[in-house]
Amino acid sequence: MHRIGFFVCRGHDALDLAGPLSAFSQVATAAGHSPYDLHVISQAGGSLLGNAGLPIETKPIGRRPFDTVIFVGGDIAPMQEPENIAAARKLSARAARVASVCTGAFLLAEAGLLDEVKATTHWRYAAQLQSRFPRVKVEGDSIYIADGRIWTSAGIASGIDLALAMIEKDMGPETSRTVSRLLVVPYRRPGGQSQFSAMSQMDPESDRIRIALNFAREHLTEALPVERLADAARLSPRQFGRAFRRETGETPAKAVERLRVEAARLRLQDGSEPIEQIALAVGFTDPERMRRAFVKLYGHPPQSIRRESRLIGSR
């Protein structure tokens, strides 16, 4: 049996624990058997109060090692307590796989486990993690990252994505896909996918601008001049351009480019389509134009993002 310990501190977040714990527990239903032996643990055991006021019973870490240890997020202050840092070091030294959900990355960092490691956390705390632990290679926009035996995930629900990725690695994609259906969640989002969609980042106030953005997303393969978007919003091009910049902070052309890059990135990560074909499929007139857009938004060309996605998936 593959022993998994979910390590919690006082002030833990209930969903940071329940999400991945539920995913692993559903493997028995999905596959008819399960290789996982699941334990909720803490430094001393006993009842621990979460940050939502819900207590949970935990077992002490004990002497027997765990194959995978997942450090659950929540309030950061308890993760700085010496006894929890010592427990994290002890558990991690004997585990083949070490992971964190959300702010659980701070406990890994306190224990020195993230030095020179690529890691992520909830977007709200990414800058704080980088500032406090400069040796950590923080990638605050990723849903989850696997760097060797160290896995880290972003906020709350992304712990489910991390668990599904582990299940896929351990038991294959079909079991992981079945678990996602049982949980009624999307099948594993790629780890490098942004914590935000382009639509949510722009977040316009008015229905007219939202309608125009939805129209653009549904017609990415077609020409989308400002006049066409303005017509979808039922505004004059002049009115539309002013309102769009005021509500989103960028021009319609830049927004369309962002939507196209996001669509291309998902296709790059999910399959093996030729890059030239992807460029045309999302509305770029040629691959070079798409390459420039990727470098501008992500700092890397499409080829690099595809290589990184395959590397993460192979771990």
Side-chain angles (χ1 to χ4, degrees), residues 68-114:
T68 294
V69 183
I70 298 175
F71 292 89
V72 174
D75 295 343
I76 295 172
M79 299 177 195
Q80 299 173 291
E81 295 171 357
E83 59 269 26
N84 285 326
I85 297 171
R89 288 178 178 147
K90 178 181 177 180
L91 289 164
S92 300
R94 298 181 292 173
R97 191 164 56 189
V98 178
S100 65
V101 180
C102 195
T103 54
F106 282 80
L107 182 50
L108 293 186
E110 291 281 4
L113 293 161
L114 296 186

Short mmCIF file of all heavy atoms in Angstrom, two decimals, residues 68-114:
data_model
loop_
_atom_site.label_atom_id
_atom_site.label_comp_id
_atom_site.label_asym_id
_atom_site.label_seq_id
_atom_site.Cartn_x
_atom_site.Cartn_y
_atom_site.Cartn_z
N THR A 68 4.01 9.37 0.38
CA THR A 68 3.69 10.72 -0.06
C THR A 68 3.20 11.51 1.15
O THR A 68 2.38 11.00 1.92
CB THR A 68 2.58 10.72 -1.15
OG1 THR A 68 3.09 10.08 -2.33
CG2 THR A 68 2.15 12.13 -1.50
N VAL A 69 3.69 12.71 1.30
CA VAL A 69 3.20 13.60 2.36
C VAL A 69 2.70 14.87 1.69
O VAL A 69 3.41 15.49 0.88
CB VAL A 69 4.29 13.97 3.38
CG1 VAL A 69 3.69 14.83 4.49
CG2 VAL A 69 4.92 12.72 3.96
N ILE A 70 1.47 15.25 2.01
CA ILE A 70 0.85 16.46 1.46
C ILE A 70 0.62 17.43 2.61
O ILE A 70 -0.11 17.13 3.55
CB ILE A 70 -0.47 16.13 0.74
CG1 ILE A 70 -0.20 15.18 -0.44
CG2 ILE A 70 -1.15 17.42 0.25
CD1 ILE A 70 -1.45 14.70 -1.15
N PHE A 71 1.26 18.59 2.51
CA PHE A 71 1.15 19.60 3.56
C PHE A 71 0.00 20.54 3.20
O PHE A 71 0.04 21.24 2.18
CB PHE A 71 2.47 20.35 3.72
CG PHE A 71 3.56 19.47 4.27
CD1 PHE A 71 4.38 18.73 3.42
CD2 PHE A 71 3.73 19.33 5.64
CE1 PHE A 71 5.36 17.89 3.93
CE2 PHE A 71 4.71 18.49 6.16
CZ PHE A 71 5.53 17.77 5.30
N VAL A 72 -0.99 20.54 4.04
CA VAL A 72 -2.25 21.25 3.78
C VAL A 72 -2.10 22.73 4.14
O VAL A 72 -1.50 23.07 5.15
CB VAL A 72 -3.38 20.59 4.58
CG1 VAL A 72 -4.68 21.38 4.46
CG2 VAL A 72 -3.57 19.15 4.13
N GLY A 73 -2.68 23.60 3.31
CA GLY A 73 -2.59 25.04 3.53
C GLY A 73 -3.56 25.54 4.59
O GLY A 73 -4.37 24.79 5.14
N GLY A 74 -3.47 26.81 4.85
CA GLY A 74 -4.30 27.47 5.85
C GLY A 74 -3.57 28.66 6.42
O GLY A 74 -2.80 29.33 5.70
N ASP A 75 -3.77 28.95 7.69
CA ASP A 75 -3.08 30.07 8.32
C ASP A 75 -1.57 29.82 8.31
O ASP A 75 -1.11 28.72 8.65
CB ASP A 75 -3.55 30.25 9.76
CG ASP A 75 -5.03 30.65 9.84
OD1 ASP A 75 -5.56 31.10 8.81
OD2 ASP A 75 -5.61 30.50 10.92
N ILE A 76 -0.82 30.86 7.95
CA ILE A 76 0.62 30.69 7.80
C ILE A 76 1.35 30.68 9.14
O ILE A 76 2.33 29.95 9.32
CB ILE A 76 1.18 31.81 6.89
CG1 ILE A 76 0.60 31.66 5.47
CG2 ILE A 76 2.70 31.78 6.83
CD1 ILE A 76 0.92 32.81 4.55
N ALA A 77 0.89 31.44 10.11
CA ALA A 77 1.62 31.57 11.38
C ALA A 77 1.91 30.23 12.05
O ALA A 77 3.05 30.00 12.49
CB ALA A 77 0.84 32.48 12.33
N PRO A 78 0.96 29.30 12.14
CA PRO A 78 1.28 28.01 12.78
C PRO A 78 2.36 27.22 12.04
O PRO A 78 3.04 26.38 12.63
CB PRO A 78 -0.06 27.26 12.76
CG PRO A 78 -1.09 28.33 12.70
CD PRO A 78 -0.48 29.40 11.84
N MET A 79 2.50 27.49 10.74
CA MET A 79 3.52 26.78 9.97
C MET A 79 4.93 27.23 10.33
O MET A 79 5.91 26.58 9.97
CB MET A 79 3.28 26.97 8.47
CG MET A 79 1.94 26.44 7.99
SD MET A 79 1.68 26.78 6.25
CE MET A 79 -0.08 26.46 6.10
N GLN A 80 5.02 28.37 11.05
CA GLN A 80 6.33 28.87 11.47
C GLN A 80 6.74 28.33 12.83
O GLN A 80 7.85 28.60 13.30
CB GLN A 80 6.29 30.40 11.52
CG GLN A 80 6.00 31.05 10.17
CD GLN A 80 5.80 32.54 10.29
OE1 GLN A 80 4.82 33.01 10.86
NE2 GLN A 80 6.75 33.30 9.78
N GLU A 81 5.86 27.57 13.48
CA GLU A 81 6.18 27.02 14.79
C GLU A 81 7.25 25.94 14.66
O GLU A 81 7.16 25.08 13.77
CB GLU A 81 4.91 26.48 15.44
CG GLU A 81 3.89 27.58 15.74
CD GLU A 81 2.55 27.04 16.19
OE1 GLU A 81 2.38 25.80 16.22
OE2 GLU A 81 1.65 27.87 16.49
N PRO A 82 8.26 25.97 15.51
CA PRO A 82 9.40 25.04 15.37
C PRO A 82 9.01 23.57 15.31
O PRO A 82 9.60 22.79 14.55
CB PRO A 82 10.25 25.35 16.61
CG PRO A 82 9.91 26.76 16.97
CD PRO A 82 8.46 26.92 16.62
N GLU A 83 8.00 23.18 16.10
CA GLU A 83 7.62 21.76 16.11
C GLU A 83 7.03 21.32 14.78
O GLU A 83 7.22 20.18 14.35
CB GLU A 83 6.65 21.46 17.25
CG GLU A 83 5.36 22.25 17.23
CD GLU A 83 5.45 23.55 18.02
OE1 GLU A 83 6.56 24.10 18.16
OE2 GLU A 83 4.39 24.00 18.51
N ASN A 84 6.31 22.23 14.09
CA ASN A 84 5.76 21.88 12.79
C ASN A 84 6.84 21.85 11.72
O ASN A 84 6.81 21.00 10.81
CB ASN A 84 4.64 22.85 12.41
CG ASN A 84 3.36 22.59 13.17
OD1 ASN A 84 3.03 21.45 13.49
ND2 ASN A 84 2.62 23.65 13.49
N ILE A 85 7.79 22.76 11.81
CA ILE A 85 8.91 22.75 10.86
C ILE A 85 9.73 21.47 11.03
O ILE A 85 10.10 20.81 10.05
CB ILE A 85 9.80 23.99 11.06
CG1 ILE A 85 9.00 25.26 10.75
CG2 ILE A 85 11.04 23.91 10.16
CD1 ILE A 85 9.72 26.55 11.12
N ALA A 86 9.98 21.09 12.28
CA ALA A 86 10.74 19.87 12.55
C ALA A 86 9.98 18.64 12.02
O ALA A 86 10.58 17.71 11.45
CB ALA A 86 11.00 19.73 14.04
N ALA A 87 8.66 18.64 12.20
CA ALA A 87 7.85 17.51 11.71
C ALA A 87 7.90 17.44 10.19
O ALA A 87 7.98 16.35 9.61
CB ALA A 87 6.41 17.66 12.19
N ALA A 88 7.85 18.60 9.53
CA ALA A 88 7.91 18.63 8.07
C ALA A 88 9.23 18.06 7.57
O ALA A 88 9.27 17.30 6.59
CB ALA A 88 7.72 20.06 7.57
N ARG A 89 10.32 18.43 8.23
CA ARG A 89 11.63 17.91 7.81
C ARG A 89 11.71 16.39 8.01
O ARG A 89 12.21 15.66 7.15
CB ARG A 89 12.73 18.60 8.62
CG ARG A 89 12.95 20.05 8.20
CD ARG A 89 14.00 20.71 9.06
NE ARG A 89 14.25 22.09 8.62
CZ ARG A 89 14.57 23.08 9.42
NH1 ARG A 89 14.69 22.87 10.73
NH2 ARG A 89 14.78 24.29 8.93
N LYS A 90 11.19 15.93 9.14
CA LYS A 90 11.24 14.50 9.44
C LYS A 90 10.41 13.71 8.43
O LYS A 90 10.87 12.69 7.89
CB LYS A 90 10.71 14.27 10.86
CG LYS A 90 10.66 12.80 11.27
CD LYS A 90 10.09 12.67 12.69
CE LYS A 90 9.97 11.19 13.10
NZ LYS A 90 9.41 11.05 14.46
N LEU A 91 9.18 14.15 8.19
CA LEU A 91 8.31 13.43 7.26
C LEU A 91 8.86 13.45 5.84
O LEU A 91 8.82 12.44 5.13
CB LEU A 91 6.91 14.07 7.27
CG LEU A 91 6.07 13.85 8.53
CD1 LEU A 91 4.91 14.83 8.57
CD2 LEU A 91 5.55 12.41 8.58
N SER A 92 9.38 14.58 5.42
CA SER A 92 9.86 14.73 4.04
C SER A 92 11.12 13.94 3.78
O SER A 92 11.35 13.48 2.66
CB SER A 92 10.09 16.21 3.74
OG SER A 92 8.90 16.95 3.88
N ALA A 93 11.96 13.78 4.81
CA ALA A 93 13.21 13.06 4.63
C ALA A 93 12.98 11.61 4.24
O ALA A 93 13.81 10.99 3.58
CB ALA A 93 14.04 13.13 5.92
N ARG A 94 11.84 11.07 4.63
CA ARG A 94 11.57 9.65 4.40
C ARG A 94 10.53 9.41 3.30
O ARG A 94 10.18 8.26 3.03
CB ARG A 94 11.09 9.01 5.71
CG ARG A 94 12.14 9.08 6.82
CD ARG A 94 11.64 8.41 8.10
NE ARG A 94 10.54 9.16 8.71
CZ ARG A 94 9.84 8.73 9.76
NH1 ARG A 94 10.12 7.56 10.29
NH2 ARG A 94 8.88 9.47 10.26
N ALA A 95 10.04 10.47 2.67
CA ALA A 95 8.97 10.33 1.67
C ALA A 95 9.52 10.38 0.25
O ALA A 95 10.44 11.14 -0.05
CB ALA A 95 7.94 11.45 1.86
N ALA A 96 8.94 9.57 -0.60
CA ALA A 96 9.33 9.59 -2.01
C ALA A 96 8.74 10.78 -2.74
O ALA A 96 9.29 11.24 -3.75
CB ALA A 96 8.87 8.29 -2.69
N ARG A 97 7.63 11.29 -2.22
CA ARG A 97 6.94 12.41 -2.87
C ARG A 97 6.43 13.36 -1.80
O ARG A 97 5.82 12.93 -0.82
CB ARG A 97 5.79 11.88 -3.74
CG ARG A 97 5.15 12.87 -4.65
CD ARG A 97 4.32 12.16 -5.73
NE ARG A 97 3.30 11.27 -5.19
CZ ARG A 97 2.58 10.42 -5.91
NH1 ARG A 97 2.80 10.31 -7.22
NH2 ARG A 97 1.66 9.65 -5.35
N VAL A 98 6.70 14.63 -1.97
CA VAL A 98 6.31 15.66 -1.00
C VAL A 98 5.51 16.72 -1.74
O VAL A 98 5.90 17.16 -2.82
CB VAL A 98 7.55 16.29 -0.34
CG1 VAL A 98 7.14 17.40 0.63
CG2 VAL A 98 8.38 15.23 0.38
N ALA A 99 4.39 17.15 -1.15
CA ALA A 99 3.53 18.11 -1.85
C ALA A 99 2.96 19.12 -0.87
O ALA A 99 2.93 18.90 0.34
CB ALA A 99 2.39 17.37 -2.55
N SER A 100 2.48 20.22 -1.42
CA SER A 100 1.77 21.22 -0.63
C SER A 100 0.56 21.70 -1.39
O SER A 100 0.53 21.68 -2.63
CB SER A 100 2.68 22.41 -0.29
OG SER A 100 3.05 23.12 -1.46
N VAL A 101 -0.44 22.11 -0.64
CA VAL A 101 -1.63 22.73 -1.22
C VAL A 101 -1.68 24.16 -0.71
O VAL A 101 -1.56 24.41 0.50
CB VAL A 101 -2.92 21.98 -0.81
CG1 VAL A 101 -4.14 22.66 -1.43
CG2 VAL A 101 -2.84 20.51 -1.24
N CYS A 102 -1.82 25.10 -1.62
CA CYS A 102 -1.99 26.52 -1.28
C CYS A 102 -0.83 27.00 -0.39
O CYS A 102 0.33 26.83 -0.73
CB CYS A 102 -3.35 26.70 -0.63
SG CYS A 102 -3.93 28.40 -0.52
N THR A 103 -1.14 27.58 0.76
CA THR A 103 -0.10 28.15 1.62
C THR A 103 0.73 27.08 2.32
O THR A 103 1.70 27.42 3.02
CB THR A 103 -0.72 29.07 2.68
OG1 THR A 103 -1.74 28.35 3.39
CG2 THR A 103 -1.31 30.31 2.05
N GLY A 104 0.41 25.82 2.14
CA GLY A 104 1.28 24.76 2.65
C GLY A 104 2.70 24.90 2.12
O GLY A 104 3.65 24.37 2.73
N ALA A 105 2.86 25.61 1.00
CA ALA A 105 4.20 25.85 0.45
C ALA A 105 5.08 26.60 1.44
O ALA A 105 6.31 26.44 1.44
CB ALA A 105 4.09 26.64 -0.86
N PHE A 106 4.48 27.42 2.31
CA PHE A 106 5.27 28.16 3.29
C PHE A 106 5.92 27.20 4.29
O PHE A 106 7.05 27.44 4.74
CB PHE A 106 4.39 29.18 4.01
CG PHE A 106 4.12 30.41 3.20
CD1 PHE A 106 3.15 30.42 2.21
CD2 PHE A 106 4.86 31.58 3.41
CE1 PHE A 106 2.90 31.56 1.46
CE2 PHE A 106 4.63 32.72 2.67
CZ PHE A 106 3.65 32.71 1.68
N LEU A 107 5.23 26.13 4.65
CA LEU A 107 5.82 25.16 5.57
C LEU A 107 6.97 24.42 4.89
O LEU A 107 8.02 24.19 5.49
CB LEU A 107 4.76 24.18 6.06
CG LEU A 107 5.22 23.12 7.07
CD1 LEU A 107 5.99 23.73 8.22
CD2 LEU A 107 4.02 22.34 7.59
N LEU A 108 6.79 24.06 3.63
CA LEU A 108 7.89 23.43 2.90
C LEU A 108 9.09 24.37 2.81
O LEU A 108 10.24 23.94 2.96
CB LEU A 108 7.43 23.03 1.49
CG LEU A 108 6.39 21.92 1.37
CD1 LEU A 108 6.18 21.58 -0.10
CD2 LEU A 108 6.80 20.69 2.14
N ALA A 109 8.81 25.65 2.55
CA ALA A 109 9.90 26.62 2.46
C ALA A 109 10.59 26.80 3.81
O ALA A 109 11.82 26.90 3.88
CB ALA A 109 9.36 27.95 1.93
N GLU A 110 9.82 26.87 4.88
CA GLU A 110 10.40 27.00 6.22
C GLU A 110 11.33 25.83 6.52
O GLU A 110 12.36 25.98 7.19
CB GLU A 110 9.30 27.07 7.28
CG GLU A 110 8.46 28.33 7.28
CD GLU A 110 9.16 29.51 7.95
OE1 GLU A 110 10.34 29.36 8.34
OE2 GLU A 110 8.52 30.57 8.05
N ALA A 111 10.97 24.66 6.01
CA ALA A 111 11.78 23.46 6.25
C ALA A 111 12.96 23.34 5.30
O ALA A 111 13.73 22.38 5.38
CB ALA A 111 10.89 22.22 6.14
N GLY A 112 13.11 24.31 4.39
CA GLY A 112 14.21 24.30 3.45
C GLY A 112 14.02 23.39 2.26
O GLY A 112 14.96 23.15 1.49
N LEU A 113 12.81 22.90 2.07
CA LEU A 113 12.56 21.92 1.01
C LEU A 113 12.34 22.55 -0.36
O LEU A 113 12.35 21.85 -1.37
CB LEU A 113 11.35 21.07 1.38
CG LEU A 113 11.56 20.17 2.59
CD1 LEU A 113 10.24 19.71 3.16
CD2 LEU A 113 12.43 18.98 2.22
N LEU A 114 12.15 23.87 -0.40
CA LEU A 114 11.89 24.53 -1.68
C LEU A 114 13.09 25.32 -2.19
O LEU A 114 12.99 26.01 -3.20
CB LEU A 114 10.68 25.46 -1.56
CG LEU A 114 9.34 24.81 -1.25
CD1 LEU A 114 8.20 25.83 -1.32
CD2 LEU A 114 9.05 23.64 -2.20
#
